[in-house]
Amino acid sequence: MTALPWTDSATIEECEKIVDKLQRAADGAVTEELQEARFQLLWALAHSTKSADVQLAVTMLTEPPTSNELPRTREYYYTLAVAQYRSHHYMDSRVTVTKALELAPSCHQCAALRDAALEAIAKDGMIGLGVIAGGLAILGGILASSRRR
């Protein structure tokens, strides 16, 4: 998978300013422009270099999207899957990006993220097996040495 893009603190701050400005101008109403600005903020948080920002994106994105518009829904699931992947929640990311692929089967970004999540799951599994095997080898060595006595 090609590397996911990263955003910096300045980009996130700019998105927050835009959302704040639009919220004040909307006076409690939710405009299409405000929804788009909020989504851009969530995208920036999901792609942040800071883990706290990524976790905030996961938290904020756990609510289902209000728009039934196909591109928004796919974008919603993809952005949530990116945040989950960046948070090392690879199983959740795989499940979420699969939902995006159900809505947009030809989305190459989604397919690449799914493959990366599957690869990370396999890698974590191999590391886990290595730790278990190492622990069993140590335990076997202890048992063998205690039997010799």
Side-chain angles (χ1 to χ4, degrees), residues 90-111:
Y90 303 122
M91 291 291 287
D92 293 338
S93 179
R94 184 193 60 81
V95 169
T96 302
V97 80
T98 299
K99 291 178 185 178
L101 281 165
E102 289 170 1
L103 297 170
S106 63
C107 177
H108 299 295
Q109 281 182 310
C110 294

Side-chain angles (χ1 to χ4, degrees), residues 2 4 6 10-11 14 19 26 43 45 50 54 58 74 94 100 119 123-124 136 147:
T2 57
L4 293 169
W6 293 97
T11 302
E14 186 61 30
V19 168
W43 186 95
L45 289 168
K50 296 181 180 177
V54 175
V58 170
R74 181 205 45 93
R94 184 193 60 81
E119 187 176 307
K123 182 180 175 184
D124 279 357
L136 289 175
R147 285 188 176 189

Side-chain angles (χ1 to χ4, degrees), residues 31-101:
T31 64
E32 188 174 321
E33 187 179 20
L34 176 57
Q35 283 182 324
E36 183 60 33
R38 284 179 180 165
F39 192 78
Q40 288 175 358
L41 172 59
L42 291 169
W43 186 95
L45 289 168
H47 290 83
S48 175
T49 57
K50 296 181 180 177
S51 60
D53 290 340
V54 175
Q55 190 54 51
L56 179 59
V58 170
T59 301
M60 293 172 71
L61 284 162
T62 54
E63 302 260 334
T66 56
S67 171
N68 291 328
E69 184 182 339
L70 184 63
R72 172 63 65 133
T73 303
R74 181 205 45 93
E75 290 172 3
Y76 164 81
Y77 286 122
Y78 177 76
T79 303
L80 176 56
V82 167
Q84 291 167 328
Y85 182 85
R86 290 245 166 101
S87 298
H88 305 285
H89 296 117
Y90 303 122
M91 291 291 287
D92 293 338
S93 179
R94 184 193 60 81
V95 169
T96 302
V97 80
T98 299
K99 291 178 185 178
L101 281 165

